[in-house]
Amino acid sequence: MIKRYVFGDPVETESVLWKPEAADWQDDRLFCRDNAFYGDLSGEEIVYGLGQNVRGINKRGWLYESYCTDDPRHTEEKHTLYGAHNFLVLDGAGVLGIFVDTPGNVVYDIGYTDSRKLSIAPQSADFELYLIEGESPDAVVEVFRRLIGRSYIPPRWAFGYGQSRWGYDSMNQVREVAAGYRDNHIPLDMIFLDIDYMERYKDFTVDKERFPDFRGLVAEMKEQDIRLVPIIDGGVKKEDGYDIYEEGKEKGYFCKDEEGEDFLLGVWPGRCCLPDMLQEEAGRWFGSKYKILLDMGIEGFWNDMNEPAVFYSEKGLAEAFEKIDAFRTQNLDIQSFFEFQGLAAGLSNSPQDYASFYHEYRGERYRHDRVHNLFGYYMTRRAAEAFEELEPEKRILLFSRASCIGMHRFGGIWQGDNHSWWSHLLLNIKMMPSLNMCGFLYTGADIGGFGGDVTEDLLIRWLSFGVFTPLMRNHSAAGTRRQEVYRFGTAELMRDVISVRYKLLPYLYSEYMKAALGGTMLFRPLGFAYRKDGIAGQVEDQLLVGESIMIAPVHEQNAAGRTVYFPEPMKLLRFHGGNVLEEAVYPKGHAYIGMPLGDVCVFLRENHILPLSRGGECVGDVDFAHLERYVWGTDVKPYAYYRDDGETKEFDLEKHVEMLTV
Ligand code: MIG
């Protein structure tokens, strides 16, 4: 059952695809006062959701916000990350789904001020609220997903493994990475190009000195079954003579400040303008520019800095310099010193800047902060719509950093600038189900961690989890330890781990497609599947992946295994040195399982089939037709195996599903 309530005069976000008739406010669970909502949380109640955010699968015990934010040091005390995903499911006496449809900030106090209470406070009085009742969290999620529409489906090659790094700044560097993988027979399908391929960080340009034959390089890589995937940034460099800038300026496509001038902000290339992605014509114009790279043979993109990230604004910078000047002659004491120190740090992503420029959206003018969370969504959507026109038959890879619900129909997301920290591997694990709830299925984190120096063991453990995430990409920041797996002494172990991905591919792709087409989740918390089991609901570091298996990744340094909770009997399948070992069936309860570095363990449910391929060095090598079947139990259910060509858009559950039996 789904109910929709309208408060004030909401901005249409296009997050949902259809709308039930609006109802008058009346609810037993939530109490409404001054456009905020209050409820009680019972002792056992679990709060799932909020998509990309900090902390656990169970969101209880913290204060969260929904405001797309570029935060490259996202630690536990933060409140919001790159995406704004306003969907929650309360699982207590009953099950209730809550979706706040607004493009502005929302504050969630989930047992923070009072551990038994919940409050939801949209920062604007104009929004829509959806309440969904259902028998189980799964049922509520399915209804929600019908409301918001089908998830994005990438080409099948995008389920391969990819290597990325900020700093691949020449054709030879790219060739070296490709050779590092191919020569060592480590599987690889993608190399990502960061801002270094561009000419002075200008969107839709290629540096002619460092990449003199870009088109040739794209073709050369494709011969080796490797796709190059370039980055596109949300800001356009302000530079006279740069055609994109000149065109945008002349046509009035950039966001304006209070005076009606093009709003100037500092981002990567220095001074930039922001294309008004919300304004249809401007957004379409920006989207049409991807053709420049498509024409060079490119088949996939990642959209960055589209929260939008603002290092500084022209005005903010001038004010800060003025204040710094005033401090020059002062005797800095504890207070003034910190104020002084904060002047430069406080410049980035500041609320004043977000309140100082404007969009034209659906025929009206909005101050940016009111519609903030739509920027990344519309940047990605306009690109996807351009692909639809330019390449109607073909799937193009597309994922974004910032997002809100609705964008899941047009692209995936990566989880932003994490660190080479064990805690961020754990965060990656915990975030998968909440993202899936909101329709973000094509997603993954920077494997090995973006900031900071990785260690060999962290990289192996992260890969061992990454083999399950649809986006499987190793990425790292400039200036950090090199993270390509062939550089490590344990490269052979890493190869074994990455190879597991290619064995699992038929299963993962099939489960992905069923989740996308059926509106279900690929990654489920144990609490979703074993609802009567009080322990299962507390497990934060094990997940169900599709219908047949459970995983329990190691996320602690120097651990040679871990304790696993079995909510029902399961059989251990161990990927070890290129083989699959069938080990014991564990009964319901806890057990310690040895998991040395390089082993990947999956736990197979009774009477379920896990189909595996023989693997390959790229997705194109994998034989999706001839599969081995792993199974145990006396009453085995046939497995609904989805398989299509992986390239075109004829998605069809009926047509492409074949029932596999033992
Ligand atoms: O300010 O393009 O999240 O993946 O490597 C940094 C450089 C801008 C942020 C992205 C990261 C990327 C980096 N970008």
Side-chain angles (χ1 to χ4, degrees), residues 166 194-195 231 268 302 304-305 311 401 414 417 450 475:
W166 176 4
D194 207 317
I195 46 177
I231 194 171
W268 222 223
W302 48 309
D304 191 18
M305 306 299 272
F311 289 177
R401 194 170 71 176
W414 89 98
D417 292 349
F450 175 72
H475 180 49

Side-chain angles (χ1 to χ4, degrees), residues 238-296:
K238 179 181 185 304
E239 186 183 281
D240 292 339
Y242 165 36
D243 54 352
I244 309 278
Y245 167 70
E246 296 280 4
E247 220 178 292
K249 185 172 96 163
E250 194 203 298
K251 299 247 170 78
Y253 289 154
F254 296 132
C255 291
K256 304 281 186 290
D257 63 16
E258 280 116 353
E259 282 86 45
E261 301 292 324
D262 288 345
F263 173 70
L264 287 183
L265 72 160
V267 220
W268 222 223
R271 302 295 201 277
C272 281
C273 291
L274 282 180
D276 189 353
M277 305 293 182
L278 279 63
Q279 203 261 322
E280 194 162 340
E281 199 184 310
R284 285 186 187 281
W285 164 77
F286 193 79
S288 73
K289 298 298 174 192
Y290 287 72
K291 181 171 191 299
I292 295 170
L293 288 150
L294 290 176
D295 286 347
M296 297 187 200

Side-chain angles (χ1 to χ4, degrees), residues 145-166:
R145 296 276 292 285
R146 273 205 296 279
L147 186 72
I148 61 174
R150 202 204 74 210
S151 298
Y152 165 74
I153 296 173
R156 195 167 61 188
W157 54 260
F159 287 82
Y161 169 71
Q163 179 66 59
S164 182
R165 179 166 173 94
W166 176 4

Side-chain angles (χ1 to χ4, degrees), residues 71 86 89 121 157 186 193 202 263 270 294 379 537 546:
D71 187 341
N86 296 305
V89 173
W157 54 260
I186 305 167
L193 297 178
K202 293 185 298 191
F263 173 70
L294 290 176
M379 175 184 182

